[in-house]
DNA sequence: GCCTACGCCTAG
DNA sequence: TAGGCGTAGGCC
């Protein structure tokens, strides 16, 4: 028997299955979806079995046997193996990348090289012997000097030592020491035999008699019995107990937020949505639903009800949320409703915790997964429903290889399993709403808030007028007044700082110079904590200059507004207010995000000040005011989705106010109050915005009227990057149909990163049967030839941002 | 992607 | 001519 194996080598000529002989020992045991260790050329690598067959086309002597099984049952189902094939093709990635993206990072193999001593007596060099310290196997990295490397080379040649690769599995399994205490009679006998001086031992044995026959975790035992580890060790040696390492799951910290009541009745809109989705579920139809529900309309309740039914039929559910750590409330609702049938997968978990959650799914110990993008690959085999909450979020698209969109994978899996997909949002992506309008998706509307509360009143504040009045602060008079009122009434305020593209930078007030990164074509960002300037693209760091490098003026200082600055201003304006700041700086530590939210939910603060991360999911009854400090910042980005992003953000953040009994109010500060994205966000109406934006997209030929592919080129030399980009553009023009438009090559918005010049080509097409074929041919040129000349090329289908 | 064999080159 | 460096081609 032979196994077709995809090996863990990401290279163009390797991107296909390789045949290996299955040794008799493993015969009948190897199945598709298992990982194996195989010899590949002179080294050993991990591979994924994708097929098992009786015959191989290769000559017998060309086939090596596989060496070892890493798994004893398949870790990838036939569905996921099939999916990896489609994924690799669709995203133009290697098959191995597609396979690996489906598994938790802890399962990815690490390779370590070792020096293995074969003939100890042949080694005479004192340096080399010192390095070995009497061991016959040391990591290769110990040989870290030119002398040692030279000696190593000689010894390898003579056969005295060997260098081999060890495939290291990061066995992320957590084990605890369990102490099993023996039966009482044995203990009593032992007690009698102990000498009088063995006070602590007598103490522990006496304690053990009270717990005879029990198994207790070592740490707990020591604490409860009040003895030290040495005493226990001695007694284990004397036979009073046995120790065993037992595999356990880590328990991710679950922050309990104030409970949200379970509604007893659904609104008629919710009921209709539930009925429609369940109809598709029962009929095993892979319908994609677009659940368009305004903020507070109870989309989550629709998810919960449909999942309940799916579970009752013995099937499983995947729920995707944009970045789950941002919505602890969402997870607690799922945990509340489905208890320990829920696994949670989010980026704040450690690698080990992610692995544990993955195993719980794989072993069918849970039936629901709530997680971020990668949870779409949850190894379920009886999928009954897939839900994407906030489906418009750009985090569903993976930015590095394989560049998949979770929505597309969801639809693929739904199709494979014959189950419905629900895309939920208050502000659907234009693409999705357009598909719903065309009948590709089925539209479900929730136009009313669940408890019939009114939507908050949204006030637009023209900051230009404020400036004319002489108000130079970040807070308009009306917003400041509104905050003052909340403080007096002991209600809570959320202040949102739209920070993207808005980070602080250093500017000379005299000559207008900004400090640029020496490697990249972008301004450096000011970091107050370290008093440093940092480049977000290449990591370059330098001190803040005291005089302008251009004109030597001393009037050089940081400019722009960050959360820290906002916090300072709040402290000045409202010295008595208790403020919680939530941004990358305050949430870096694990779990701090949830802790901050918990504090806020318990009323330990009056004002929550934050960036993007507070825009969604917050659902606290005492929030009655939302202030958006600067609405425009996302509006002026060089991105065709700028208006859509702004509208979505404003709608989402406004939705945080007045979700319960108290009425909400929103203040949006802007320098462009007349822009339709801002005007329509004030009115909180999606459809008119959709139509406005669609006509603009149509005019400029952007999605959803055209599909887009972005091809990025980068090279250290400007001439070469232009050259290759032009070559590629010509090639694409020849290969694609004349209806498709090729724009460029043009210099990218950030034309240099890390000392590499960047160019790009955009392909716009409506229908392009030859797309995949042509792109693959282009990639073949790149991977076989251009790459050797130092070019870097990347293809991004339906990019979410174009840099 | 990594390894090696094989090419070419230089010092002696 | 041995040893050093660089690069093309194979990996089952």
């Amino acid at each position: 028997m032979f196994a077709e194996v995809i090996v863990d080598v990401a290279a163009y000529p390797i991107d296909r299955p390789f045949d290996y002989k299955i040794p008799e020992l493993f015969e009948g045991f190897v199945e598709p979806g298992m990982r194996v260790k195989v010899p590949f050329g002179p080294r050993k690598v991990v591979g994924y079995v994708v097929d098992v067959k009786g015959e191989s086309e290769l000559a017998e002597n060309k086939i090596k046997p596989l060496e070892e099984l890493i798994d004893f049952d398949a870790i990838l189902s036939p569905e996921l193996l099939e999916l990896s094939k489609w994924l690799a093709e669709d995203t133009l990635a290697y098959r191995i990348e597609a396979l690996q993206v489906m598994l938790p990072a802890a399962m990815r193999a690490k390779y370590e090289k070792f020096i293995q001593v074969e003939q100890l007596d042949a080694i005479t060099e004192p340096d080399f012997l010192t390095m070995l310290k009497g061991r016959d196997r040391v990591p290769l990295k110990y040989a870290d000097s030119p002398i040692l490397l030279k000696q190593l080379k000689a010894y390898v040649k003579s056969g005295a030592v060997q260098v081999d690769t060890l495939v290291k599995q990061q066995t992320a399994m957590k084990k605890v020491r369990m102490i099993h205490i023996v039966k009482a009679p044995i203990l009593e006998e032992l007690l009698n035999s102990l000498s009088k001086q063995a006070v602590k031992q007598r103490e522990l044995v006496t304690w053990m008699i009270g717990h005879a026959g029990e198994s207790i975790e070592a740490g707990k035992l020591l604490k409860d019995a009040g003895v030290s580890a040495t005493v226990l060790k001695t007694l284990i040696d004397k036979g009073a107990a046995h120790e065993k390492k037992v595999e356990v799951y880590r328990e991710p910290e679950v922050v309990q937020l104030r409970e949200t009541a379970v509604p007893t009745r659904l609104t008629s809109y919710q009921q209709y949505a539930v009925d429609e989705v369940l109809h598709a579920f029962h009929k095993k139809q892979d319908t994609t639903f677009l659940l368009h529900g305004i903020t507070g309309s109870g989309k989550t309740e629709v998810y919960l009800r449909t999942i309940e039914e799916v579970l009752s039929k013995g099937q499983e559910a995947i729920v995707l949320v944009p970045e789950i750590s941002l919505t602890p409330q969402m997870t607690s609702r799922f945990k509340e409703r489905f208890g320990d049938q829920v696994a949670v997968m989010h980026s704040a978990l450690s690698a080990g915790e992610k692995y544990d959650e993955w195993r719980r799914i794989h072993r069918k110990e849970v039936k629901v997964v709530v997680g971020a993008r990668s949870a779409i690959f949850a190894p379920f085999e009886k999928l009954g429903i897939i839900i994407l909450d906030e489906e418009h979020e750009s985090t569903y698209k993976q930015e590095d290889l394989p560049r998949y969109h979770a929505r597309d994978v969801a639809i693929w899996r739904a199709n494979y399993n014959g189950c419905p997909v629900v895309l939920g949002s208050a502000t659907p992506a234009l693409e999705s709403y357009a598909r719903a309008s065309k009948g590709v998706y089925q539209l479900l509307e929730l136009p009313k808030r669940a408890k019939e509360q009114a939507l908050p009143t949204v006030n637009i504040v023209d900051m230009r007028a404020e400036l004319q009045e002489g108000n130079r602060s970040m807070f308009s008079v009306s917003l400041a007044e509104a905050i003052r009122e909340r403080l007096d009434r002991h209600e809570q305020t959320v202040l949102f700082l739209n920070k993207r593209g808005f980070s602080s930078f250093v500017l000379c007030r005299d000559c207008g110079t900004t400090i640029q990164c020496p490697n990249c074509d972008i301004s450096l960002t000011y970091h107050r904590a370290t008093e440093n300037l940092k480049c977000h693209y290449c990591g370059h760091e330098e001190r803040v200059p005291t005089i302008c490098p251009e004109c030597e003026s001393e009037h050089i200082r940081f400019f722009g507004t960050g959360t820290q600055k906002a916090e300072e201003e709040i402290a000045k304006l409202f010295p008595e207010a208790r403020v919680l700041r939530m941004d990358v700086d305050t949430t870096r530590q694990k779990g701090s995000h949830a802790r901050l939210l918990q504090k806020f939910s318990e009323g330990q603060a009056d004002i929550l000040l934050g960036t993007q991360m507070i825009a969604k999911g917050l659902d606290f009854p005492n929030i009655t005011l939302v202030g958006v400090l600067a609405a425009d910042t996302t509006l002026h980005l060089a991105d065709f989705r700028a208006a859509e992003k702004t509208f979505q953000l404003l709608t989402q953040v406004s939705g945080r106010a007045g979700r319960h009994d108290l009425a909400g109010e929103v203040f949006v500060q802007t320098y462009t109050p007349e822009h339709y994205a801002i005007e329509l966000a004030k009115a909180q109406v999606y459809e008119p915005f959709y139509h406005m934006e669609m006509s603009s997209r149509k005019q400029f030929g952007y999605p959803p009227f055209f599909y887009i592919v972005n091809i990025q080129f980068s090279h250290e030399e400007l001439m070469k990057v232009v050259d290759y980009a032009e070559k590629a553009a010509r090639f694409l023009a020849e290969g694609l149909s004349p209806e498709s438009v090729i724009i460029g090559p043009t210099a990218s918005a950030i034309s240099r990163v890390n000392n590499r010049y960047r160019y790009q080509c955009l392909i716009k097409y409506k229908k392009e049967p030859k797309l995949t074929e042509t792109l693959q041919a282009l990639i073949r040129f790149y991977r076989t030839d251009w790459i050797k000349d130092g070019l870097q090329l990347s293809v991004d289908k339906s990019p979410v941002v174009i840099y």
Side-chain angles (χ1 to χ4, degrees):
Chain A
M1 295 293 275
F2 301 93
E4 285 191 3
V5 175
I6 301 283
V7 294
D8 181 13
V9 176
Y12 183 67
I14 312 303
D15 189 26
R16 59 187 175 84
F18 282 75
D19 287 357
Y20 285 88
K21 176 134 189 43
I22 300 174
E24 263 168 53
L25 180 64
F26 304 145
E27 195 126 323
F29 211 65
V30 177
E31 56 174 309
M34 281 181 175
R35 287 171 305 163
V36 289
K37 194 165 123 187
V38 293
F40 192 70
R43 57 209 165 114
K44 309 255 187 288
V45 295
V46 168
Y48 293 75
V49 177
V50 292
D51 209 352
V52 173
K53 56 190 184 183
E55 301 287 328
S56 170
E57 269 118 74
L58 276 116
E60 180 93 29
N61 60 3
K62 290 214 88 179
I63 308 179
K64 291 182 190 172
L66 50 86
E67 194 165 293
E68 208 176 277
L69 305 186
I70 297 176
D71 305 302
F72 293 92
D73 56 349
I75 53 160
L76 290 169
S77 61
E79 179 198 355
L80 291 177
L81 286 174
E82 191 65 31
L83 173 60
S84 75
K85 216 190 276 178
W86 172 80
L87 197 66
E89 191 179 300
D90 189 64
T91 63
L92 298 142
Y94 294 120
R95 182 87 186 273
I96 186 70
E97 292 170 323
L99 288 165
Q100 282 174 340
V101 79
M102 300 180 170
L103 296 168
M107 288 175 81
R108 235 157 278 169
K110 282 260 184 341
Y111 300 92
E112 206 179 339
K113 288 183 199 159
F114 280 90
I115 301 170
Q116 175 76 45
V117 178
E118 300 289 320
Q119 302 154 4
L120 188 59
D121 46 1
I123 296 166
T124 50
E125 298 283 358
D127 292 357
F128 207 84
L129 284 166
T130 318
M131 179 192 77
L132 290 175
K133 283 199 191 123
R135 291 162 294 200
D136 65 346
R137 190 183 177 81
V138 297
L140 180 64
K141 57 173 185 270
Y142 283 17
D144 55 357
S145 69
I147 305 139
L148 284 170
L149 282 169
K150 205 174 163 170
Q151 294 169 355
L152 173 67
K153 219 171 157 187
Y155 285 135
V156 169
K157 197 151 188 207
S158 73
V161 303
Q162 233 185 322
V163 174
D164 62 1
T165 339
L166 190 81
V167 178
K168 259 178 68 175
Q169 206 41 52
Q170 301 155 281
T171 42
M173 261 182 263
K174 186 179 174 181
K175 299 204 170 162
V176 291
R177 255 173 87 210
M178 289 298 285
I179 308 298
H180 180 76
I181 300 164
V182 298
K183 299 236 157 58
I186 309 173
L187 292 170
E188 275 153 15
E189 196 179 311
L190 179 67
L191 187 62
N192 293 331
S193 70
L194 286 173
S195 78
K196 280 233 167 60
Q197 289 132 289
V199 184
K200 282 285 168 187
Q201 287 187 41
R202 301 185 78 91
E203 199 179 302
L204 181 53
V205 175
T206 317
W207 184 90
M208 279 176 162
I209 291 170
H211 295 81
E214 288 176 27
S215 281
I216 303 164
E217 199 190 311
K220 187 175 164 18
L221 184 148
L222 295 176
K223 208 171 133 209
D224 289 1
V227 294
S228 75
T230 22
V231 182
L232 176 62
K233 173 124 195 357
T234 319
L235 286 179
I236 289 173
D237 291 343
K238 289 186 177 165
H242 308 288
E243 75 171 321
K244 207 162 114 191
K245 296 246 175 174
V246 177
E247 193 186 303
V248 292
Y249 292 129
R250 296 167 188 79
E251 275 173 45
E253 179 186 6
V254 179
V255 179
Q256 219 44 62
L257 294 168
R258 187 164 297 179
E259 283 184 26
T260 36
V262 179
T264 45
R265 283 192 55 214
L266 296 179
T267 65
S268 56
Y269 294 105
Q270 285 175 313
Q271 190 61 55
Y272 178 75
V274 170
D275 291 346
E276 285 294 296
V277 175
L278 287 181
H279 179 76
F281 166 68
H282 288 128
K283 288 257 148 96
K284 298 200 175 304
Q285 286 166 349
D286 61 339
T287 315
T288 302
F289 293 94
L290 178 62
L291 180 63
H292 174 218
I294 58 165
T295 56
S297 61
K299 290 186 289 294
T300 311
E301 195 51 41
V302 173
Y303 307 153
L304 292 166
R305 297 281 169 120
T306 46
I307 292 170
E308 240 163 45
E309 173 67 14
V310 168
L311 297 193
S312 76
K313 290 280 176 296
Q315 291 188 252
E316 298 140 339
I318 296 177
V319 182
L320 297 190
V321 291
E323 181 43 77
I324 199 156
S325 58
L326 308 186
T327 59
Q329 281 192 319
M330 179 92 169
T331 23
S332 23
R333 279 184 78 178
F334 275 84
K335 289 245 175 191
E336 253 170 52
R337 201 68 69 88
F338 303 117
D340 52 12
Q341 293 190 89
V342 183
V344 179
M345 288 272 213
H346 60 87
S347 62
L349 297 182
S350 71
E353 285 167 345
K354 281 183 196 157
Y355 176 58
D356 285 351
E357 293 296 89
W358 182 89
R359 275 189 305 152
R360 292 176 64 209
I361 306 165
H362 183 239
R363 293 179 179 176
K364 310 281 143 55
E365 292 171 10
V366 294
K367 299 229 167 283
V368 183
V369 171
V370 182
R373 178 179 62 232
S374 64
I376 194 60
F377 299 112
F380 282 140
E381 292 180 71
K382 286 184 286 178
L383 257 181
I385 193 168
I386 304 175
I387 289 161
L388 268 87
D389 190 36
E390 311 282 0
E391 66 89 30
H392 60 278
E393 277 296 315
S394 58
T395 51
Y396 284 128
K397 174 81 187 283
Q398 173 145 309
E399 287 294 311
D400 38 50
L401 287 166
R403 295 193 176 81
Y404 69 92
H405 197 296
R407 190 202 295 135
D408 302 334
V409 179
I411 292 171
W412 189 97
R413 292 198 72 178
N415 175 264
Y416 187 97
N417 289 281
C419 76
V421 177
V422 180
L423 309 175
S425 177
T427 51
L430 238 56
E431 285 91 331
S432 300
Y433 204 77
R435 272 178 216 168
S437 312
K438 279 172 67 184
V440 182
Y441 300 163
Q442 187 181 331
L443 186 63
L444 299 170
E445 298 269 6
L446 303 179
K448 289 254 163 37
R449 284 192 149 185
K451 291 181 216 152
E452 300 279 322
Q453 316 91 317
L455 281 167
T457 327
V458 179
N459 308 289
I460 305 292
V461 186
D462 185 348
M463 291 304 275
R464 293 171 306 191
E466 293 281 325
L467 208 61
Q468 275 168 13
E469 303 280 309
N471 179 7
R472 294 174 162 275
S473 106
M474 292 171 73
F475 296 91
S476 58
V477 174
S478 42
L479 176 56
E481 250 169 47
I483 296 174
R484 163 75 47 213
E485 274 174 34
R486 308 304 132 149
L487 289 172
D488 293 343
R489 295 210 300 253
H490 301 290
E491 291 170 8
Q492 289 177 304
T493 299
V494 168
L495 292 177
F496 177 71
L497 193 68
N498 197 358
K499 219 183 139 197
R500 184 161 356 160
F502 197 55
S503 41
S504 319
F505 54 98
V506 165
L507 176 94
C508 171
R509 304 265 160 138
D510 284 334
C511 71
T513 294
T514 54
I515 308 293
Q516 301 282 117
C517 174
N519 310 318
C520 310
D521 181 23
I522 196 139
S523 302
L524 294 173
T525 304
Y526 174 70
H527 283 247
R528 175 167 305 194
T530 50
E531 275 291 322
N532 267 0
L533 293 173
K534 212 172 179 176
C535 172
H536 285 185
Y537 285 82
C538 73
H540 169 85
E541 250 180 283
E542 59 183 69
R543 302 294 294 173
V544 178
T546 47
I547 54 162
C548 171
E550 284 300 314
C551 69
E552 300 187 357
S553 154
E554 284 172 18
H555 299 134
I556 184 159
R557 63 182 63 140
F558 78 89
F559 190 85
T561 317
T563 42
Q564 290 148 329
K565 187 161 174 240
E567 193 178 17
E568 283 167 21
E569 271 204 43
I570 296 169
K572 250 184 258 163
L573 281 168
F574 315 104
E576 76 282 20
R578 297 164 301 164
V579 182
L580 277 182
R581 180 161 65 92
M582 209 154 144
D583 56 24
V584 278
D585 287 333
T586 62
T587 54
R588 195 161 296 145
Q589 210 192 353
K590 202 183 147 192
S592 51
H593 189 115
R595 271 194 294 280
L596 283 174
L597 284 184
Q598 185 171 21
K599 261 183 143 177
F600 194 63
S601 81
E602 287 166 358
Q604 292 185 42
D606 308 301
I607 298 174
L608 179 66
L609 167 70
T611 53
Q612 253 75 339
M613 58 179 76
I614 61 167
K616 54 178 61 78
L618 290 185
D619 188 0
F620 301 131
N622 209 25
I623 302 175
T624 59
L625 175 66
V626 167
V628 179
L629 296 183
D632 319 69
T633 46
T634 43
L635 207 50
H636 306 304
L637 295 176
D639 181 343
F640 68 89
R641 277 188 253 259
E644 186 184 357
K645 295 251 176 70
T646 306
F647 177 80
Q648 286 168 345
L649 211 54
L650 293 180
T651 309
Q652 297 284 347
V653 77
S654 303
R656 297 311 110 210
R659 294 172 72 93
H660 296 265
D661 302 331
L662 300 167
E665 198 179 8
V666 179
F667 285 83
V668 175
Q669 303 188 154
T670 173
Y671 291 89
T672 44
E674 64 284 350
H675 193 287
Y676 65 91
I678 290 177
E679 281 186 338
L680 294 171
K682 169 183 165 65
Q684 298 172 79
V685 280
Y686 179 79
E687 269 220 293
F689 172 78
Y690 169 75
H691 291 300
M692 282 295 279
E693 185 66 13
M694 283 295 269
S695 62
S696 137
R697 298 286 178 90
K698 188 171 186 177
Q699 191 185 342
F700 297 105
Y702 279 118
F705 292 95
F706 284 87
Y707 291 104
I708 288 187
V709 179
N710 182 22
I711 304 167
Q712 273 272 355
F713 305 85
S714 84
H715 200 285
E716 285 179 0
E717 291 169 51
L718 182 60
M719 293 303 282
K720 288 221 166 158
V721 74
V722 175
D723 203 38
Y724 280 114
E726 279 173 354
K727 217 185 273 184
R730 278 198 300 275
F731 177 80
L732 291 169
E734 271 169 42
L736 297 174
S737 47
E739 294 77 44
S740 299
V741 186
I742 292 155
I743 300 171
T746 49
S748 301
I750 298 159
S751 62
R752 189 176 51 122
V753 168
N754 235 335
N755 285 318
R756 298 180 66 89
Y757 293 91
R758 313 204 312 165
Y759 265 69
Q760 66 192 25
C761 273
L762 283 189
I763 308 173
K764 284 189 188 175
Y765 66 96
K766 273 185 192 287
K767 216 178 158 193
E768 185 51 82
K770 287 187 286 184
L771 182 73
T772 306
E773 185 194 323
T774 312
L775 288 175
Q776 268 167 356
L778 178 70
I779 286 188
R780 187 160 63 237
F781 281 127
Y782 160 63
R783 285 173 180 166
T784 49
D785 272 331
W786 303 355
I787 196 169
K788 290 178 199 141
D789 199 21
L791 183 80
Q792 271 177 28
L793 180 152
S794 74
V795 177
D796 192 358
K797 284 166 100 179
S798 304
V800 283
V801 268
I802 301 170
Y803 298 103

